[in-house]
Amino acid sequence: MHRRRTALVVSAAVLLSAPLLTACGSTSHPGAAAVVGDDRISVSQLQHEVNVVRDAQRSSPQGQQLLANSARLNQDTLIRLVQNRIVQQAAEDNGVEVTRREVQRRRAEVERSNGGAETVRARFLALGIAPDRIDEALTMDLTRAKLDGKLGAARTNDVLRRTSDALHVDVNPRYGTWDPKRGTAEPAQEPWLRAAAPAPGEPERPA
């Protein structure tokens, strides 16, 4: 039997439907792109993350195409930063932990099954994730997978929504308004992030 290739794990904020950011909203945190609980994501921090991606894209052989296809990079990056904090808090609240060894093992698996380290870095970069943020993206996806395994996918979705509410996510209106109930920028069959996404060319897994 032909062995299915391991899925290339990616940040849900970029590849999958991400929490809605619209053009309205208000914030009482000048200089912040978003506030998640006690954690303040500054505009300068967000811009630094975006610049790291832009610099990596410019040095890529596909630089022009990558830059042209990343018009939403500021918004997607902020969504990812906010989601990471929500997932981390939900994991802490539910006794879920991902070890460094698990991340290393997962990265080796992804690289082995998707054409090597350079190919994986290029694919993440195309999704707006800089090379030095790949382990972070894998950590978040492994964390979600562990939450799913412990709580079940439906309950995990509810836990993430409630965690978002408890953290009082506040997004600068320059970037939009956080919608923890919809959890998506597009109509989606399932909100929030999945643990993994199919590698290019693979069929979608059934829900």
Side-chain angles (χ1 to χ4, degrees):
M1 178 181 293
H2 178 69
R3 185 174 180 273
R4 176 191 181 90
R5 289 192 306 156
T6 302
L8 172 60
V9 183
V10 297
S11 171
V14 180
L15 182 62
L16 300 176
S17 296
L20 177 67
L21 291 177
T22 63
C24 58
S26 62
T27 181
S28 56
H29 308 281
V35 177
V36 185
D38 296 327
D39 195 358
R40 182 176 181 273
I41 303 170
S42 68
V43 172
S44 60
Q45 179 185 352
L46 171 61
Q47 195 57 54
H48 170 74
E49 294 288 329
V50 170
N51 289 342
V52 169
V53 176
R54 292 289 191 208
D55 288 344
Q57 288 177 336
R58 288 188 187 98
S59 20
S60 166
Q62 293 79 37
Q64 288 187 342
Q65 181 180 353
L66 290 173
L67 291 168
N69 292 338
S70 57
R72 283 173 45 95
L73 184 58
N74 278 34
Q75 188 181 57
D76 289 337
T77 300
L78 182 59
I79 290 170
R80 175 171 55 82
L81 292 173
V82 172
Q83 277 199 333
N84 285 355
R85 285 155 174 77
I86 293 170
V87 173
Q88 287 169 349
Q89 186 63 55
E92 181 180 331
D93 293 344
N94 289 275
V96 168
E97 181 181 2
V98 172
T99 68
R100 178 64 183 164
R101 178 172 293 184
E102 288 174 319
V103 175
Q104 291 173 336
R105 186 163 56 242
R106 181 58 175 156
R107 182 159 182 172
E109 179 184 352
V110 168
E111 290 175 349
R112 184 173 58 252
S113 302
N114 291 276
E118 287 297 327
T119 299
V120 169
R121 281 195 288 270
R123 291 181 179 181
F124 272 98
L125 189 58
L127 296 163
I129 299 173
D132 62 353
R133 295 292 186 264
I134 293 175
D135 283 357
E136 179 183 86
L138 293 173
T139 299
M140 288 302 99
D141 287 324
L142 284 169
T143 301
R144 171 63 202 253
K146 283 194 171 186
L147 283 167
D148 281 349
K150 183 172 184 177
L151 306 174
R155 187 179 172 198
T156 298
N157 285 334
D158 184 57
V159 164
L160 290 172
R161 292 189 190 96
R162 287 190 284 107
T163 302
S164 178
D165 286 337
L167 289 172
H168 303 291
V169 177
D170 185 9
V171 172
N172 188 314
R174 172 181 176 183
Y175 303 102
T177 303
W178 185 259
D179 185 348
K181 293 183 179 179
R182 286 188 59 195
T184 178
E186 300 287 347
Q189 293 181 348
E190 180 176 336
W192 289 97
L193 60 157
R194 287 215 184 232
E202 285 194 73
E204 294 283 348
R205 284 180 292 179

